[in-house]
Amino acid sequence: MIKVQTLSLRGLCIATLLVFAACSGAPSTEGDTPTGPSQPSTTAPRANPQGQGQGVSHERNLQLVSDAVNKARRSLELRLFEDAQREAAFALELDNGNEEARRILNQCNEVLGDKVARAINQEGDAVLRNRIAAERERALVRNELQLGNANFDLGAFGRAIENYEKALAYLNFSQHFPPNDPLRKEAEERLDSATKAKAEADKAQGRSLQAASQADLDREARDLAAAKATMVERYLQDANVKFQSGDYKEAVDRVQQALLQDPTNPTALALRDLADRARHETSLELHRERWKQDWITTFNELQQSNLPQTDVVKFDPARWAEVSQRAPATYTQPSELDTPEVKQIQKKLDETVLEHNFSSATVDAWAHYYSSVTSVTFFVMDDVKAMAPESTTLNDFKLPRMSVTQALKVIQSQTGVAWRIKNGMVQLVSPANAIGTLYLSRHRVADLVLGVKGHPGPELKLASPGDDSPLFPEDTTDPVPSVVDDGRLRELIQSTVAEGKWENNPFSLNYQAGVLLIRADAETHEKVARLLNDLRRHVGIQVDVEARFLKVEDNFLEDVGIDLRGLGNQASQGQAGQGLGARPNVGFDDFGPKQQQNAATPGTVGTGTEPGVFFDNGRDGDVMGRVENLYDQTLGGHNGSLTNNGGLALQYAYLGDTEYEIILRAVAKQERSEQIDAPRLLIYNNTRASMSFLRSIAYIRDFDVEIAQAAAVANPIIGTVHDGVALDVRPVVDADLRFITLELRPTLMTLSLPIPTFTTTLGVGQPISIQLPNVTLQRVRTTVTMPDGGTMMLGGMKLVEKQVLTSGVPVLKDLPGLSFLFSRKGSSTLNRKILILIRAKIILMEEQEPTNISLPDGTVLTSSR
């Protein structure tokens, strides 16, 4: 009995655990079933708590729930309440919404209520809750593993990995699973298997997709080829229709479209040539083409007239298409004067290519060998036979594959045995007798020896009396040759080409009007031509020079002061007050009595006799006072800086028993200016050139006095002063065309306007005025070396001028509050900076020449550099 009771109690505890496990599950999405206060909730987790079960798992859960409900119903009929309670709790755990299972469980709880309470009290609430939570989490893990296995079997490896990862998450974040729990190992193994299976499936899917994509590409390529062939055929048919109707231009266009689809189509190529010739033979098409070219030319001219050119060099494509077809002036080449027999022998020597190996061969032996391989007669002359045998013998002589002509030149350099073609054979002679047929040839060298005249710039200065030198001096120096003069060129050729053969020999060299007349053999003519071509590398070089004259000014001026002065009877300027109007010849006489002053010769500012404050005390006298805060020199205005003109001028007069007049002047000025003069000049290499932008201004420099009948007549003398910039440059480009040496003479001349005047008298007659120009001249004379395309600062001048003036009444000007009424303060600051920058760039015509030129007939020429 005890054993049976123990088993019953254990069964009761297990049933109780299942009940609490069902009650502690997640609430159903369909709604929670309310329970009484003494009865715990019997809601159980849904059959698929994660919502990811598939059809097979759902059907299996339904079957389990149906079996559990049937067993619970039979146990309840047999009054086996504990068994019915277990089966109903299991059914609710799988399906929380099963109403029949909930009803059976509630009936069993009512019958077994006291036993359950006792079991809970005996085992402890904490142990039961912990056990219920552990069983619930273990059920969740097993459920995820089952779902993962089902997805794995179905091939849904991604979903299986998610299920396994959820199971591991429950295991990792739960405190009810030990580290060595079998479920953890099973979940990790299943996750690893699913990951590997997914990787293999992805690879297989990638291979399948790649194969399908390649098949699609192949199919598209076949379709494209078929479509291209169909399109080419349609274009050719259209071209045939256009050609038969006489529309040759459209026929060419159709054939051209077909060639765009298939450039190697032989039929399209042949039809294009036929249609193109037919089009050119049609006069109407030629007239239309001329009209089209005229139309394009007209609009190009209109565009060029509206847009100024900024490039240094600009080619006209239409004109250059014709110019590029010109051939240089040529003369008969020496090789063209050879007889057919000599040409044939030279051709055999050039075309016979072989290896040249001689262990030890005398001159007769290797001459016989070359005669046999070229079928040309080699004859050893007596002067060679007279030479030492060891010098003409080839020992261990090996050369790679090359022509016989090249090998004979190598042998000549080693043995001294020269050769020449004469009388239908190759003659082996000494170097002194190696002169072959002499030819007279002409070489044009005018571009090398003729000089380019320089053009110096103006000499900017202020002309003094008696100086009548011209503004633009003449260049009396001889033009500098482009490369060398004719004498130096002759010396250069005689010293570097065929040295020792020009004197007392048949070779001759003469220069006439830019042409070299040379009589020599063919080899010498070739060497002279190469030398002249090398010298022409530095012909036609031009340099683009751009100067920047940068002038920056930053000026500031401030002048503030109050004067008590100017009171009096100013009838012409309004009645300011009686002042001294009733007292003629009476005034402030600190500079002398008023009657002693002459209106024709006014004194300096501040020497007037009018007061600033006036008080009439009747017969006891007058009280007058004046405060004049004046400067002994002008504030500002130096070197073209700001002046204190303008600003605020306020004059206030008070009329009463005491009359006074106050004059307030306040002015503040600030100026910042930048001025850039940028002359630009294109100059021929090693030639002086200049550019000037000048303004000529006439002024009265002096007077000639003529006396006639006791009268003096002033006849003005007119002078001219210039204002502007001038650039005088002489560039020299170095041999590797990387650097430029510039001899620079930039000049900046600035005239201050208006021109100040000086008034004087001739003793009799009216006063006359002479103008005294004030000119600022900045000039640089230097020689610099700079890189091609670089910019260099030649020099600069910085002027800083500060002026602070203070005027006031002693003691009063230092009192706080009153200092403003009895003082005047002024300050002026002048900051000026002038910089001269130079940029130079080498201009080569072959670099500016367009590579692609379109001819009027549509042909595109490509020039190689």
Side-chain angles (χ1 to χ4, degrees):
M1 291 299 293
I2 296 174
K3 184 175 182 180
V4 174
Q5 290 177 356
T6 303
L7 291 176
S8 300
L9 182 58
R10 290 180 178 176
L12 180 61
C13 292
I14 292 173
T16 304
L17 292 175
L18 292 175
V19 170
F20 277 93
C23 295
S24 62
S28 174
T29 58
E30 299 176 0
D32 296 337
T33 303
T35 58
S38 62
Q39 182 179 356
S41 175
T42 59
T43 58
R46 292 175 297 174
N48 187 10
Q50 302 300 328
Q52 298 184 13
Q54 302 298 324
V56 176
S57 178
H58 182 64
E59 294 176 1
R60 181 173 176 272
N61 289 342
L62 294 178
Q63 184 64 34
L64 292 175
V65 169
S66 178
D67 295 340
V69 170
N70 294 332
K71 292 180 181 180
R73 189 185 304 112
R74 288 194 300 271
S75 298
L76 182 62
E77 292 174 357
L78 298 175
R79 305 187 66 80
L80 299 175
F81 299 103
E82 295 177 355
D83 295 339
Q85 185 185 48
R86 284 195 301 271
E87 295 297 332
F90 178 72
L92 286 175
E93 183 179 2
L94 296 179
D95 186 7
N96 191 29
N98 195 301
E99 295 296 333
E100 186 177 0
R102 189 178 303 278
R103 180 181 57 78
I104 295 174
L105 180 61
N106 292 334
Q107 293 179 3
C108 294
N109 288 339
E110 292 175 358
V111 175
L112 301 175
D114 296 336
K115 295 181 180 181
V116 172
R118 287 194 300 271
I120 292 175
N121 292 331
Q122 292 175 0
E123 296 294 331
D125 294 342
V127 176
L128 286 176
R129 284 193 297 270
N130 187 46
R131 181 65 182 274
I132 291 171
E135 290 296 333
R136 177 179 178 276
E137 292 178 357
R138 184 174 294 276
L140 292 175
V141 171
R142 287 175 177 172
N143 186 40
E144 291 296 336
L145 291 177
Q146 291 175 359
L147 293 175
N149 294 336
N151 288 326
F152 187 91
D153 295 337
L154 294 175
F157 302 112
R159 296 179 180 177
I161 291 174
E162 293 179 1
N163 296 130
Y164 295 144
E165 288 177 348
K166 288 181 181 179
L168 282 176
Y170 291 146
L171 293 170
N172 293 332
F173 293 100
S174 176
Q175 59 182 355
H176 302 98
F177 295 95
N180 57 351
D181 193 279
L183 288 178
R184 185 187 303 274
K185 183 177 180 181
E186 180 183 357
E188 291 175 350
E189 290 177 354
R190 297 302 299 173
L191 177 62
D192 184 65
S193 300
T195 303
K196 292 180 180 179
K198 186 177 184 303
E200 293 295 331
D202 291 341
K203 291 181 180 179
Q205 185 180 7
R207 289 192 295 268
S208 177
L209 293 176
Q210 183 177 3
S213 177
Q214 185 63 37
D216 293 338
L217 290 176
D218 295 340
R219 184 177 64 258
E220 290 178 1
R222 291 192 299 270
D223 296 340
L224 182 61
K228 184 183 294 185
T230 303
M231 188 176 297
V232 169
E233 183 178 359
R234 186 174 68 253
Y235 281 138
L236 293 180
Q237 291 177 357
D238 294 342
N240 182 36
V241 174
K242 296 294 183 181
F243 188 91
Q244 296 297 333
S245 61
D247 194 353
Y248 305 116
K249 183 178 182 301
E250 292 296 331
V252 172
D253 293 339
R254 296 296 189 276
V255 175
Q256 192 65 34
Q257 291 176 359
L259 288 175
L260 290 177
Q261 301 296 327
D262 187 7
T264 61
N265 191 295
T267 304
L269 292 173
L271 290 178
R272 184 183 64 177
D273 294 337
L274 291 174
D276 192 64
R277 286 197 298 269
R279 183 187 62 172
H280 285 290
E281 293 173 357
T282 304
S283 60
L284 180 60
E285 187 64 28
L286 290 177
H287 289 298
R288 290 180 179 176
E289 185 66 26
R290 290 196 192 97
W291 175 83
K292 181 180 179 181
Q293 292 298 328
D294 293 341
W295 181 273
I296 294 175
T297 302
T298 302
F299 274 92
N300 288 338
E301 292 177 354
L302 292 175
Q303 185 177 7
Q304 291 178 0
S305 62
N306 293 331
L307 298 177
Q309 178 178 337
T310 57
D311 298 334
V312 179
V313 180
K314 188 174 182 180
F315 283 77
D316 183 0
R319 178 61 178 169
W320 188 249
E322 301 176 2
V323 175
S324 60
Q325 304 303 312
R326 296 175 183 171
T330 58
Y331 302 99
T332 303
Q333 299 298 322
S335 58
E336 298 177 1
L337 301 177
D338 289 335
T339 61
E341 185 179 13
V342 173
K343 294 181 181 179
Q344 186 66 24
I345 294 175
Q346 185 64 52
K347 182 179 180 182
K348 288 185 179 181
L349 296 180
D350 294 338
E351 293 179 351
T352 305
V353 180
L354 68 158
E355 294 183 356
H356 309 268
N357 298 323
F358 300 102
S359 58
S360 179
T362 62
V363 63
D364 294 328
W366 56 263
H368 177 72
Y369 171 76
Y370 285 128
S371 177
S372 61
V373 297
T374 60
S375 301
V376 177
T377 301
F378 278 71
F379 184 78
V380 182
M381 302 299 289
D382 293 337
D383 52 354
V384 174
K385 294 179 180 179
M387 297 172 62
E390 59 273 11
S391 63
T392 59
T393 301
L394 297 178
N395 296 316
D396 296 330
F397 184 81
K398 293 183 179 181
L399 294 176
R401 290 182 59 83
M402 63 177 59
S403 65
V404 176
T405 300
Q406 295 173 331
L408 290 177
K409 292 180 180 179
V410 175
I411 292 173
Q412 179 178 353
S413 64
Q414 291 187 3
T415 64
V417 178
W419 60 281
R420 66 184 181 186
I421 302 175
K422 192 174 183 180
N423 299 328
M425 66 180 69
V426 177
Q427 296 179 356
L428 301 179
V429 297
S430 61
N433 298 324
I435 300 175
T437 305
L438 300 181
Y439 308 94
L440 178 63
S441 180
R442 301 170 182 83
H443 300 270
R444 298 181 62 90
V445 294
D447 54 340
L448 299 176
V449 300
L450 296 182
V452 180
K453 188 175 180 61
H455 303 279
E459 188 66 25
L460 295 179
K461 60 182 179 179
L462 185 59
S464 59
D467 186 4
D468 296 330
S469 58
L471 179 63
F472 292 88
E474 264 189 54
D475 188 7
T476 58
T477 60
D478 296 332
V480 179
S482 299
V483 181
V484 292
D485 55 15
D486 57 333
R488 180 56 182 160
L489 181 60
R490 289 196 298 267
E491 294 177 3
L492 184 63
I493 293 175
Q494 292 175 357
S495 60
T496 57
V497 179
E499 185 178 1
K501 294 185 179 181
W502 299 96
E503 297 180 0
N504 301 323
N505 278 285
F507 287 6
S508 62
L509 175 62
N510 295 299
Y511 173 79
Q512 293 182 358
V515 178
L516 277 180
L517 301 176
I518 299 178
R519 183 179 178 83
D521 56 10
E523 183 178 1
T524 302
H525 282 294
E526 293 178 0
K527 293 180 179 179
V528 171
R530 286 197 298 270
L531 175 62
L532 296 178
N533 289 333
D534 292 340
L535 294 177
R536 286 190 176 93
R537 183 170 177 262
H538 290 274
V539 175
I541 300 176
Q542 301 178 88
V543 179
D544 178 28
V545 178
E546 187 172 2
R548 290 287 189 274
F549 296 88
L550 178 61
K551 180 179 179 182
V552 180
E553 290 189 11
D554 191 358
N555 301 333
F556 175 78
L557 182 141
E558 186 177 66
D559 188 7
V560 180
I562 291 180
D563 294 341
L564 295 174
R565 59 185 172 93
L567 185 62
N569 184 12
Q570 306 292 336
S572 62
Q573 300 180 8
Q575 191 74 16
Q578 293 297 326
L580 303 177
R583 293 171 176 80
N585 299 323
V586 176
F588 219 102
D589 58 355
D590 55 340
F591 290 99
K594 184 176 181 181
Q595 61 271 17
Q596 296 180 1
Q597 298 184 6
N598 186 4
T601 58
T604 60
V605 177
T607 62
T609 61
E610 71 276 5
V613 178
F614 177 79
F615 175 70
D616 184 1
N617 199 15
R619 296 181 179 181
D620 293 335
D622 298 331
V623 178
M624 293 179 290
R626 179 175 64 223
V627 178
E628 292 181 306
N629 300 317
L630 306 178
Y631 301 141
D632 293 337
Q633 61 184 18
T634 303
L635 178 64
H638 303 286
N639 298 317
S641 63
L642 299 175
T643 64
N644 60 349
N645 298 329
L648 172 65
L650 177 64
Q651 184 172 350
Y652 175 77
Y654 176 79
L655 305 179
D657 293 337
T658 301
E659 299 178 356
Y660 60 87
E661 187 170 5
I662 299 177
I663 299 176
L664 169 65
R665 283 191 52 82
V667 58
K669 295 182 180 181
Q670 186 174 4
E671 176 189 22
R672 179 173 180 82
S673 64
E674 295 182 2
Q675 179 180 348
I676 298 178
D677 295 319
R680 188 172 182 179
L681 190 59
L682 185 63
I683 313 169
Y684 197 81
N685 184 30
N686 200 21
T687 303
R688 180 171 297 283
S690 63
M691 179 180 182
S692 58
F693 178 75
L694 302 176
R695 180 176 54 172
S696 299
I697 301 175
Y699 69 101
I700 301 176
R701 187 176 69 183
D702 201 355
F703 285 89
D704 284 338
V705 180
E706 298 180 359
I707 305 298
Q709 298 179 356
V713 179
N715 186 18
I717 300 175
I718 305 301
T720 304
V721 64
H722 302 283
D723 177 44
V725 296
L727 180 63
D728 191 331
V729 186
R730 180 175 176 266
V732 179
V733 180
D734 67 347
D736 55 1
L737 302 178
R738 296 172 56 197
F739 294 92
I740 309 170
T741 301
L742 295 174
E743 181 184 346
L744 295 163
R745 296 194 295 182
T747 305
L748 174 62
M749 191 171 185
T750 305
L751 174 65
S752 299
L753 294 176
I755 300 177
T757 60
F758 172 73
T759 303
T760 184
T761 61
L762 299 177
V764 294
Q766 296 296 327
I768 60 173
S769 298
I770 299 176
Q771 292 179 301
L772 303 176
N774 185 8
V775 177
T776 302
L777 182 66
Q778 287 96 24
R779 179 163 49 191
V780 176
R781 300 290 184 266
T782 184
T783 301
V784 297
T785 299
M786 60 187 305
D788 181 18
T791 303
M792 181 175 294
M793 187 180 73
L794 298 183
M797 183 181 69
K798 185 176 182 180
L799 175 63
V800 178
E801 182 180 299
K802 294 184 179 180
Q803 188 180 17
V804 178
L805 301 179
T806 303
S807 177
V809 179
V811 180
L812 295 180
K813 69 181 181 63
D814 298 325
L815 296 178
L818 295 178
S819 61
F820 180 75
L821 300 175
F822 296 97
S823 65
R824 180 183 179 185
K825 297 180 181 180
S827 62
S828 174
T829 303
L830 169 63
N831 292 317
R832 178 182 296 164
K833 183 183 295 184
I834 299 177
L835 298 177
I836 301 178
L837 306 175
I838 292 291
R839 184 190 67 84
K841 179 182 178 182
I842 298 174
I843 303 298
L844 302 176
M845 286 296 114
E846 55 269 19
E847 293 181 354
Q848 305 293 329
E849 180 182 349
T851 56
N852 297 327
I853 305 169
S854 299
L855 297 179
D857 59 355
T859 306
V860 178
L861 300 179
T862 302
S863 61
S864 59
R865 296 180 180 176

